[in-house]
Amino acid sequence: MAAPWVAYAIAGGIAVITAVAGMRLTRLDAWFRNLRKPSWQPPDWAFGPAWTTIFTLAVWSAGRSWNAADPDFRLLLLGAFLLNVVLNIAWSWLFFTSRRIDWALLEVGPLWLSIALLMVLTAQVDTLASWLLLPYLLCVSFAAF
């Protein structure tokens, strides 16, 4: 059995890959600046700290739930976390790279559901791990709005 920190290290590596992919797909150019946005949208500078916090909490959640789960349940957790990674990156690609706001709006539903699924799954092995994902769910909810 691997040391408990290994789960956090792997989750951290996956989070870094996800964040870098999202950043590389995000362009805050004239197209984005000219979009009609609500007056209550946070300033651009707030997104970096917000997503850093969200990814940090997700890594904490993944490590806690992985370490608390039995081997069979770990496969389910891994699949759910990887599905979420794919949907997270896909949203950035649809919205910022492809500039398909309509497709991004459709894709945010499965992304939101994948976070809810993670919360349900992690709650089965570690309640705190589930609550650590709430800011992520709220952020995606806010962004979709």
Side-chain angles (χ1 to χ4, degrees):
M1 180 184 224
W5 63 267
V6 172
Y8 294 98
I10 292 170
I14 293 169
V16 168
I17 291 167
T18 305
V20 168
M23 287 187 307
R24 292 190 49 85
L25 293 169
T26 300
R27 295 182 303 194
L28 302 181
D29 56 10
W31 173 84
F32 178 76
R33 295 196 196 302
N34 290 326
L35 289 176
R36 201 173 48 156
K37 299 183 255 329
S39 61
W40 41 265
Q41 178 185 339
D44 292 345
W45 64 262
F47 288 91
W51 278 105
T52 299
T53 301
I54 287 165
F55 279 125
T56 300
L57 293 174
V59 166
W60 189 11
S61 173
R64 285 183 64 92
S65 57
W66 182 269
N67 288 326
D70 65 50
D72 291 335
F73 197 73
R74 286 177 175 173
L75 288 176
L76 187 59
L77 284 171
L78 179 63
F81 273 103
L82 291 177
L83 172 65
N84 178 261
V85 164
V86 169
L87 291 170
N88 183 296
I89 293 169
W91 188 89
S92 294
W93 180 78
L94 288 169
F95 187 84
F96 289 107
T97 305
S98 297
R99 299 179 175 179
R100 292 300 309 252
I101 298 171
D102 53 345
W103 291 0
L105 185 58
L106 289 174
E107 197 269 1
V108 82
L111 175 59
W112 191 93
L113 288 171
S114 76
I115 302 164
L117 173 64
L118 283 171
M119 292 181 74
V120 168
L121 292 175
T122 57
Q124 293 179 39
V125 293
D126 187 301
T127 304
L128 177 58
S130 179
W131 284 108
L132 291 169
L133 296 170
L134 184 61
Y136 185 17
L137 187 72
L138 293 174
C139 181
V140 169
S141 302
F142 184 79
F145 199 69

